[in-house]
Amino acid sequence: MGDIVDQVTALVRCKECPWYKNCLTPVQVNTEDITQFRTVMQGTNLPEQAKGELDQLMENITSMSQEMILQSCPVFTQRLKEDAKLARRVKEMMRNWVQEGESNELQR
């Protein structure tokens, strides 16, 4: 019974995570998102100063999201800590990544 509860708990933790289905790459803010945000902001009755501050905030979020690309979601990180076998498999894949990439280029 404990295994079932653990599996359900893991699933719920994962689905509630803001990184859901983006475990290794955080959700990125792109130009389209910024344009859409600015369009929405034009339709509001906020003072121009507040609109400018929100626009600056959106640009900062965009910049930060580019710098976060090497981070991973907390649920995925916790799973790696709890499951040594999974962590070894991921580590091995990362070690072989360069070798696989080089062999694929040599085959071309």
Side-chain angles (χ1 to χ4, degrees):
M1 184 72 161
D3 290 342
I4 294 171
V5 172
D6 290 343
Q7 289 176 6
V8 170
T9 301
L11 181 63
V12 169
R13 273 181 37 208
C14 190
K15 288 203 174 202
E16 289 178 348
C17 181
W19 292 53
Y20 183 61
K21 292 189 177 181
N22 294 292
C23 298
L24 295 177
T25 305
V27 176
Q28 299 291 311
V29 178
N30 58 33
T31 335
E32 185 178 305
D33 295 328
I34 294 172
T35 303
Q36 185 178 7
F37 176 76
R38 287 181 175 152
T39 303
V40 169
M41 290 307 300
Q42 288 175 353
T44 64
N45 293 328
L46 291 173
E48 287 303 314
Q49 181 181 356
K51 287 181 182 179
E53 290 173 3
L54 287 172
D55 194 46
Q56 183 66 36
L57 176 65
M58 185 62 143
E59 288 178 15
N60 289 340
I61 290 171
T62 303
S63 175
M64 285 182 354
S65 73
Q66 295 301 317
E67 294 171 8
M68 289 174 44
I69 205 150
L70 296 177
Q71 295 180 358
S72 67
C73 97
V75 174
F76 181 69
T77 302
Q78 188 62 37
R79 287 182 179 165
L80 288 175
K81 288 178 182 178
E82 293 171 354
D83 188 346
K85 185 178 177 183
L86 174 63
R88 279 193 303 274
R89 286 178 50 207
V90 170
K91 190 175 185 179
E92 193 60 35
M93 287 172 32
M94 295 301 292
R95 284 184 178 156
N96 294 329
W97 187 329
V98 174
Q99 295 168 356
E100 288 176 14
E102 289 173 353
S103 66
N104 287 342
E105 287 180 21
L106 292 175
Q107 292 174 359
R108 290 183 187 180

